[in-house]
Amino acid sequence: MTFQYSRIADPLYVSENRVGAHSDHRWFASAAEARRGVSSFEQSLNGQWCFHYASTADESPAGFESPEFDVSLWHEIPVPAHIQMHGFDRPHYANTQYPWDGHDQIMPGQIPERFNPVASYVKRFTLDTPVGVGERVTVVFHGAESALAVWLNGHYIGYGTDSFTPSEFDLTDHLADGENVLAVQVFKWSAHSWIEDQDFYRFSGLFRDVVLYRQPVAHVRDVRVRATLSEDLSGAELAVRVDLTGGSAVVRLADGTQLKDLGDGTFVTWLDQPRLWSAEHPHLYEVLIEVRDPDGEIVEVVPQRVGVRRFALEDGVFKINGQRIVFKGVNRHDFGLNGRVVTREETEADVRTIKALGLNSVRTSHYPNNSYFYELCDEYGLYVIDEMNLESHGLWDRIRYHDAPDSEAVPGDRPEWLPALLDRARSMVERDKNHPCIVMWSCGNESYGGSNLAKVTEYFHEVDDRPVHYEGVAWDPRHPETTDVHSEMYTPAAKVEEYLRENREKPMILCEFAHAMGNSFGAVDRYIDLAYREPLFQGGFIWDFADQAIAMTDRFGQRFFGYGGDNGEAPHDGDFCGNGILFADHSPKPFTQEVTHVYRDIVTRIERDALTIENRYLFTNTSAFECVVTLSHEGEEIASEILDTDVSPGQVRQYPLPVTIPSGPGEYAVDVSYRLRAPQRWAEVGHEVAWDQAVFGSFVPSPSVPAAPEIVDGIHNIGVHGKNFTVLFSRLYGGMQSYRFGGGGPEHEILRGMPTPNFWHAPTSNERGWNAPSLDGQWLLASRYAVSERRPDQPFLETLEDSARVTYTYDLPTVPASQAALSYRVFGDGRVAVQLTVDPGDGLADAPECGVLLALDPELDQLTWYGEGPEESYSDRRLGARLGVYSAPVATQLTQYLRPQEAGNHTGVRWATVSDARGRGLRFEGSGMEFSALPWTPFEVENALHHTELPPVHRTIARPALMRRGVAGDDTWGSQTHPEFRLPADRQLIFEFSFIGINA
Ligand code: GAL
Ligand code: MG
C-alpha cells in the first residue's frame, strides 16, 4: 500500500489503517506503577523532530520517508507545536470565511493547490523496551492538524483526519531492532478542512503529544464504566465493561470490593448510598482492572475513575442527581500563548480559574480537547458539553446570506460527508465516554442541518445515554430529532422568554451568549434572572473564555498581542478573536467581577433589619461558607459580624441583620460575603464565593466656605482669586484656561487644556458592531469642535453673594445644531461647582456620553474614588461592583482590551481625587456620577489599533460624566445597548459636579 496525496481531497478518504477509537484509559505494569502515574508501556516522542516545510505538496521532498533519505540539513522543530508559531507559514486568523476564499476557486472537498503547506517530519527512535512476543506497539498522534500520513522505516503505515482526536497506528509489523525512522507528513488543508471552519487561528502540524504505546499480550483495549442510580439515588449499579484481548481480568474498587464477573466482559457491583459526583462535590470512585496473561501473571493494571451521577431529562428539564440544573457556563477554546498547544499545567490553571470565578460548566467550543481537560473537569467539578469537531460556517453563509438551497449544505444531506462525521463522533465518544463531567455530546457548531447531522445524533443515542446538543436545528428545523435541547446563540433574554412562551417541548439553553468582545458584558443579569424564573431556560455559556491572540513584537521592540491581519494574513477577521472574559495571557478582565456576581449561587437581599438568603446551590448548604456581614461608613468599615447561616440547597431563609445601621446623616453600606471554610483544589480558605451589598442613607457633599472670592474683570480674561487659588476664564478662547491651587504652598497649575463638554468615547467593539459611530459620529464633532462664539457677553459673569459664576455657551456642530452651556461657580475656597447643560438637536442619535473632559497635569497620576469598584463599571454592568473607596494608578485605567477602546469608567462616584505623589491634585464631587482618569483622550485611544501605539503620556484626562452609554453585550454584530442604559436624546441634559484643589 502506498500513500496518494491526491486522495486527501476526497471527503470519503477519512482514514487508512487507523486503529479503532477507544477509551482514554492508561495502563501500567503494576499497581505500584499506576500509583506513580508513570507507565512503562508509554514512550513519549515529544521533543525536537527533523523538519522540512513546503508550501505545496509538489515542493515537498519526494522519498523523504526512506530511512536512507538525508535529513541532516533539515530544520528542527519541537513537537508538539504549530509550525506557524515556529517561523513557517504564518498564523492566520479567520472567523467564518475560509482562509482560501478569494484565493482559490474550489468546491467543498477540494483543496487549495497553489498553497497548501506540507510539513514533513522525521523522528528517529529506539524503543525503551523491546517488543515482547505477542506484544504490539502503536503510535498515537493526539492531535495533528488537519491530516497526516505516516511511514515507519520506509513503509507506509496509514492516514488520518480529524485534527482534534487521536490518530493511532499499529507499528508492530515494521519495527526494526535498534533505531527506527518515523516519517510523518502533515497537510494544512485536506478535504475535511471544509468542516473545520471554526472561528480560530488556522494552524497546522503535530500540535498535541506523540506517544508510543506498548500493549502486553493480555491488554484492555477499551473500558466502559457506567453507574446507574436507583430512582431515589440511594444506590447505584456500577458496571465496568472490559474489552480484553488475551488473558483475564479482575476488577476491584479501591476499598478492595471485587466486582462480579458476568462472563461477557462486564463486571458489576452495587453501591449502597453512593457518594454522588456533581460539579459542587466531584467525588470519584477508583476502579482497578487487573489483567493476567494465560499463565496467570499480572501483565497490566488499569486504573479507572468513576463518577456516580445521573444527568437526564426528567419532568421535561435537565437534572443532575434529581435537581434542575442552570448552566452557568463558558465556551472555551483550547488556546494559550502557544496557540492550541496547551500543557496540562496551563489547562489546570484555566480550570482553576473557571472554578474560582464561580462558573459551573464549559462547552468545548468547537472540538474535543486534550484528554486531560476532561480529567481535570472530573476532578475539579465542571459540567462539560463535549463538542465534536465540525464547523462548515463559511458554507452555511451561502445558505443564510446568498440564498443557496438546502441541498447545497455541507455536510447537509450529502452522503460523501457522512463517514467523516460518524468517524468524528465515534472518535470523540469512544475516547471520552468515561468522564462523568461530560453531560452532553454536541454535534459541532454552525454547520446548518440535514440528515447527516441527524444520523450523528442517532449514533450518539445508540452508543450512549447522554443527551445530544446541536444548535443548528434552530436554523434548519428539518430534523428536530438532531437535538435533545433547544439551543440558540445570542438570543436576547427577552426573546428567549418570548420563544418559551410558545415552545415548551424541549428545555432551552444558549450555547453561546454574552459576547464578551472588547468592553462588553452588559445587562447579562437579564439572562440569569430568566433562568430562575423560567424552568425551561437552563442557562447558557458565555462567549468565550480567553482572547485568542498572538504575542508579537512591534518595530520598536515592544511586546503586544496581535490579532487578525497582524501577521500579514488575508482574508482575516481583525480582532474578532478577542472575546474572552480573560485576556490572552489568561489573566481576568475587569468584568469577571460581573461574571462572578451574576452567576453567584447565594443571593442575599439586604434590608435595614433583615437578610433574606436564597441558596441556589443544588447540593451545598450555606453553612459550608463563613458569612461575614460588614457595615461601612463611606468606605470605612465600622462593624463586622459573623452570621451562622443554615440554608439548604434551593431554600430561602431570613435572618435578622446582625449589624445596626446608624440613623444619622451619612451613607452606610452593608456587605454580606460568603467565604470558603474549607480549602478547595481551586481556592484557599477565605475565598469569596458570593456577596451582596446594600446602601443606606446618603452621601453629604462637602460644604463650601462662605467667603466670596475676589474677581478681576479684565479685557480678555476674568480672574477669580482666593487665598490659595487662581482661576482664569478666557474671553478669547472660550473656556477656563487656568486653575491654580496652592493650599498653603505655592500655587500649582493643574490644567493642561481647557475643559470641554464631552460626548465621545473611543467606540467599543460592540458600538462598532452596530455602527454606532456612523449614527452618532456627530457627537465626536461636537466634542472636538464646539464653538464658543466671541461676544461681549461671553462668557457671562455673575457676581453672587458667596461666589462668582462664569458661563460659556457653545454651539455644537451637529445637524441639526445642538447647544451646550458650561457654567463654573467659583467659591472662596477654590471650589468650582460646574454645571453642563446640553440641548441636543432634534432627532439626533443619543450621545455616547455626556460630561466634561479635563486635561490635567500628568503628574496627577493616582486615582482614588468613593464609588463603585474595584474594577471598571458601566450603567449596564455595575451589579458586580461594590460601593467603596478604591485607588489605582491612572496608568492602569485603560483596560488592555485587544483593540484599545473606551474603558476605565467608574459608576456611582461620590467623590474622586486625581493626585500626584505629594498628594496635590483635584478632588471631584458629584452625586453618583461616572468618572474616569486615563492617560489619553478618547481621540488618542480611538486612533490606536494596539496598546503599544498609544502616544507617550503628556496629560491625565479626567472625564466626570452624567452617564456613558452602557457597554451592551448581547452580541457584537448589531445588538445595541438596551434603551434604559442610554442617554435620552430628546430632552435637555443637565450634569452637575464640582472640583477643588487639594494639597495633602
Ligand atoms: C458564534 C460562533 C463562535 C464565534 C462567535 C463570534 O457564531 O459559534 O465560534 O465565532 O460567534 O465571536
Ligand atoms: Mg462560526
Side-chain angles (χ1 to χ4, degrees), residues 41 79 135 141 378 433 438 462 471 492 494 505 533 600 655 677 703 709 764 848 889 990:
F41 292 120
V79 169
E135 294 188 338
F141 300 88
D378 290 345
K433 57 185 179 264
I438 298 170
E462 235 166 68
E471 180 263 354
E505 55 292 338
R533 215 168 53 234
R600 74 199 180 287
Y655 291 89
R677 282 191 202 278
T764 62
I990 299 175

Side-chain angles (χ1 to χ4, degrees), residues 37 81 424 448 450 453 459 564 587 767 779 807 830 863 891 897 900:
R424 283 162 191 234
Y448 200 54
L453 278 150
Y459 165 78
S587 62
E767 284 174 321
W779 292 110
T807 303
L863 169 67
Y897 297 117

Side-chain angles (χ1 to χ4, degrees), residues 82-148:
H82 302 295
I83 68 167
Q84 288 77 9
M85 299 291 269
H86 290 269
F88 305 99
D89 185 18
R90 58 175 101 218
H92 186 157
Y93 168 60
N95 179 357
T96 67
Q97 48 189 337
Y98 286 101
W100 53 81
D101 196 65
H103 290 295
D104 300 271
Q105 194 79 55
I106 50 175
M107 297 292 288
Q110 296 176 342
I111 52 175
E113 286 299 335
R114 278 175 299 175
F115 183 70
N116 181 12
V118 176
S120 303
Y121 293 83
V122 169
K123 178 79 174 173
R124 291 172 189 274
F125 69 88
T126 305
L127 288 177
D128 290 346
T129 315
V131 208
V133 181
E135 294 188 338
R136 311 232 36 112
V137 172
T138 68
V139 62
V140 176
F141 300 88
H142 284 278
E145 191 167 0
S146 72
L148 85 170

Side-chain angles (χ1 to χ4, degrees), residues 95-96 197 199 391 393 445-446:
N95 179 357
T96 67
D197 193 29
D199 176 5
E391 179 159 347
H393 200 144
N445 190 53
E446 300 187 314

Side-chain angles (χ1 to χ4, degrees), residues 4 62 107 181 233 447 574 584 664 672 737 784 788 790 797 904 944 971 978:
Q4 275 171 278
M107 297 292 288
V181 182
L233 308 174
S447 302
V672 180
Q737 203 175 43
R784 299 204 77 165
S788 178
R790 244 190 256 172
L797 169 66
D971 64 46
H978 293 204

